[in-house]
């Protein structure tokens, strides 16, 4: 008992003091909350206002340079083959006025010539690497054996020559080529290594579409770049950490390596073959006067029929061909890239907060078309362009699932490991690939060696303009896309093809995987490969 008295526990008084203090505290906290709430609201509404307003980045750009039309590379005909000579070169290019930029190119100092071949042609490329670092040339969109694909496993050392050869099986399309060295694709493409590979076929020969290269059929390789004061490129891979969600973006647009370009075109129907060869930026193409144009082709070929559009989003790696009618016109017409509006405001807000970038709201002039008088031509756009037999989902032997992970730039929780084969596909099989984007940003998902069809986007059938062959599909945040394709008949258990995000910084960070196409009886459990540096693991991620 005494002990209790000796040790007084002044609970009550303390409590009172505490209560008083906590009352004050409560008021303070409440005031604090109120104040920060007010601040937060104003900041949020300020940012909201900011991000909702598209910013015309190069509104005052003086259009003054004639578009460079990349030359068609004449092949040498040797026996049955059309042989194209290419070399990767280091150089300097005057991109901005008067200030040379250190660049690389194929057969020149920036970009590369346009290769052109016909379905059925036997082609051979003789590619010399005159750079001081390894390079590859990947034939993006091409249906060919994996060993000819020019992926990370076909590296060409400095001074070496690589001679891939194959028979053109693709139908008429605008494909392209670019390097694919492991973890170096971003910087190599950014420095200038890229070019077009145009395929013709009997169908495209017979259609009355504009087809005079560089005259009424104009290739446009669109890229964004950032320049230093001294004219050198800014390539900031360290931004992968700062702005890891975006990739390398620039505020200067180059078209075929031309700054502030215009192109003289006959005042008639004009065909534009547009390639988004940017590392990370997507564009929302359209004309300044919002006129209707017609999309006639996707990545891998002509659409069944022309699709009227006023705006057209292209993600990195994607191509489209469009027809714009300038009949009888005399005034210049500007192709722009509008703000990308497809996301709702909340998502855009979240993404803007995460990325500290408003890139998706930037507006750019891309190129000015200057119509020139021409002998009167009345043209009608053919309404039937191609016949594409839809691959029914019932023809698929399996569905594989690919989860684009928000963390670590991975696919199915794995980053690219060049010694690890993620998937084994049986030659000639039809498969459905289910691509699930769990991240807060878009990813253009690209598959090598095939052209696929889009089955659905989030359960909804694809839009008319997505009814063509594709090799790269834009998968928006929180979206699920199903694509279906028939894999090549080629069999090679030793050389993988790639699938990856075509934001090149994401790819270089490991958002890539490998698949082997083989008709060998490789079971999921007993998998072998002869190449000593390649390890194959089973396909474990089949969707139910
Ligand atoms: Cu255009 Cu694997 O890339
Ligand atoms: Cu590719
Ligand atoms: Cu990505």
């Amino acid at each position: 008992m005494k002990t209790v008295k000796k040790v007084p526990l002044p609970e009550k008084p303390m409590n009172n003091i505490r209560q008083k203090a906590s009352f004050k505290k409560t008021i303070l906290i409440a005031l604090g909350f109120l104040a920060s709430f007010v601040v937060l609201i104003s900041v949020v509404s300020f940012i909201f206002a900011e991000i909702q307003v598209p910013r015309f980045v190069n509104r005052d750009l003086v259009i003054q340079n004639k578009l460079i039309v990349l030359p068609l590379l004449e092949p040498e005909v040797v026996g049955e083959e059309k042989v194209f000579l290419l070399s990767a070169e280091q150089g300097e290019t005057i991109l901005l006025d008067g200030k040379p930029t250190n660049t690389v190119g194929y057969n020149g100092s920036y970009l590369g010539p346009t290769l052109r071949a016909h379905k059925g042609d036997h082609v051979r490329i003789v590619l010399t690497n005159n750079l001081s670092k390894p390079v590859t040339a990947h034939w993006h969109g091409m249906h060919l054996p994996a060993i000819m694909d020019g992926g990370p496993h076909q590296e060409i050392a400095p001074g070496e020559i690589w001679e891939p050869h194959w028979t053109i099986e693709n139908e008429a399309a605008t494909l392209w080529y670019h390097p694919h060295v492991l973890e170096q694709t971003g910087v190599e493409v950014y420095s200038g290594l890229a070019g077009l590979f145009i395929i013709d076929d009997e169908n495209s020969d017979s259609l009355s579409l504009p087809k005079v290269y560089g005259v009424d059929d104009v290739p446009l390789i669109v890229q964004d770049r950032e320049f230093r004061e001294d004219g050198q490129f800014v390539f900031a891979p360290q931004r992968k950490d700062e702005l890891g969600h975006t990739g390398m973006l620039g505020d200067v647009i180059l078209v075929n390596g031309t700054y502030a370009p215009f192109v003289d075109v006959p005042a008639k129907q004009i065909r534009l073959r547009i390639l988004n060869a940017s590392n990370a930026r997507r564009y929302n193409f359209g004309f300044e006067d919002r006129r209707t144009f017609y999309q006639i082709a996707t990545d891998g070929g002509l659409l069944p029929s022309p699709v009227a559009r006023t705006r057209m989003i292209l993600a990195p790696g994607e191509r489209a061909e469009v027809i714009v009618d300038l009949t009888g016109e005399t005034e210049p017409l500007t192709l722009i890239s509008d703000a990308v509006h497809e996301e709702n405001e909340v998502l855009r807000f979240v993404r803007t907060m995460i990325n500290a970038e408003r890139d998706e709201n930037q507006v750019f002039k891309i190129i000015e078309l200057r119509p020139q008088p021409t002998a009167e031509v009345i043209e009608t756009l053919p309404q039937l362009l191609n016949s594409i037999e839809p691959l029914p989902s019932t023809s698929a032997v399996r569905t594989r699932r690919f989860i684009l992970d928000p963390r670590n730039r991975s696919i199915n929780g794995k980053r690219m490991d060049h010694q690890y084969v993620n998937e084994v596909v049986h030659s000639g099989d039809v498969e459905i690939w289910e691509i699930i984007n769990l991240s807060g940003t878009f990813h253009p998902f690209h598959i090598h060696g095939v052209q696929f069809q889009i089955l659905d986007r989030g359960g909804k059938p694809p839009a008319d303009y997505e009814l063509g062959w594709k090799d790269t599909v834009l998968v928006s945040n929180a979206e699920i896309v199903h694509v279906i394709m028939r894999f090549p008949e080629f069999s090679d258990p030793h050389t993988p093809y790639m699938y990856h995000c075509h934001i090149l910084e994401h790819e270089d960070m490991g958002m890539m995987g490998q698949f082997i196409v083989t008709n060998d009886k490789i079971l999921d459990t007993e998998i072998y490969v002869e190449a000593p540096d390649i390890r194959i693991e089973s396909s474990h991620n089949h969707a139910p």
Side-chain angles (χ1 to χ4, degrees), residues 138-141 149 151-152 176-180 185 317 446-448 471-472 498-500 502 504 507 512:
H138 162 59
W139 319 104
H140 179 128
D149 191 44
W176 66 301
Y177 62 99
H178 63 80
H180 219 300
T185 301
H446 170 49
I447 310 172
H448 285 210
D471 53 53
T472 308
M498 306 294 128
Y499 58 85
H500 58 90
H502 220 288
L504 300 181
E507 175 189 333
M512 176 154 73

Side-chain angles (χ1 to χ4, degrees), residues 210-364:
K211 53 179 77 153
V212 186
Y213 182 80
V215 176
D216 62 6
D217 181 356
V218 185
L220 303 177
I221 302 180
V222 181
Q223 299 176 306
D224 59 333
R225 292 291 180 270
E226 190 179 324
F227 288 88
R228 285 195 330 226
E229 270 301 302
D230 62 1
Q232 296 308 331
F233 282 146
V234 174
F235 182 72
Q238 73 271 16
R239 285 195 197 158
K240 286 191 291 196
D241 304 324
E242 294 162 26
L243 309 173
H245 308 271
T246 314
M248 185 58 212
L249 297 167
D251 53 359
V252 173
I253 303 294
L254 300 176
V255 184
N256 300 348
T258 325
Y259 170 67
F262 68 86
V263 58
D264 290 333
V265 288
K268 56 182 277 299
Q269 281 186 5
I270 298 301
R271 177 189 200 161
L272 304 174
R273 297 180 188 251
I274 308 176
L275 158 64
N276 180 355
S278 305
N279 283 36
R281 181 181 293 283
R282 59 176 168 175
Y283 300 88
N284 190 9
F285 291 110
F287 293 96
E288 206 167 24
D289 63 0
R290 282 207 152 259
R291 73 175 58 199
T292 298
F293 58 89
Y294 293 88
Q295 184 174 350
I296 58 165
T298 48
D299 302 332
L302 291 159
L303 280 159
S305 39
V307 179
R309 308 198 67 179
T310 52
R311 289 291 181 262
M312 175 180 79
I313 293 172
L314 284 190
E318 286 188 299
R319 289 87 64 209
E321 294 176 33
V322 304
I323 299 282
V324 56
D325 194 356
L326 297 174
T327 306
E329 297 196 26
T330 52
E331 290 301 306
L333 175 66
T334 307
L335 176 71
I336 64 161
S337 171
D338 209 341
V340 177
H341 284 300
E342 75 168 15
E343 288 172 321
N344 70 44
E345 251 99 70
V346 176
L347 281 173
R348 191 189 305 171
F349 174 73
V350 169
R351 204 174 34 72
T352 304
M353 293 303 286
I354 294 170
N355 294 0
E357 270 281 331
R358 290 176 310 199
D359 48 280
E360 296 277 277
N361 289 313
Q362 293 176 334
V363 180
F364 292 94

Side-chain angles (χ1 to χ4, degrees), residues 482-519:
H482 291 98
V483 301
I484 188 166
M485 71 221 106
R486 184 184 303 279
F487 283 88
E489 294 292 344
F490 313 118
S491 171
D492 185 347
H494 313 306
T495 315
Y497 293 99
M498 306 294 128
Y499 58 85
H500 58 90
C501 172
H502 220 288
I503 290 180
L504 300 181
E505 285 65 44
H506 293 182
E507 175 189 333
D508 285 342
M509 288 169 86
M511 208 169 186
M512 176 154 73
Q514 316 196 79
F515 66 100
I516 269 177
V517 176
T518 178
N519 53 27

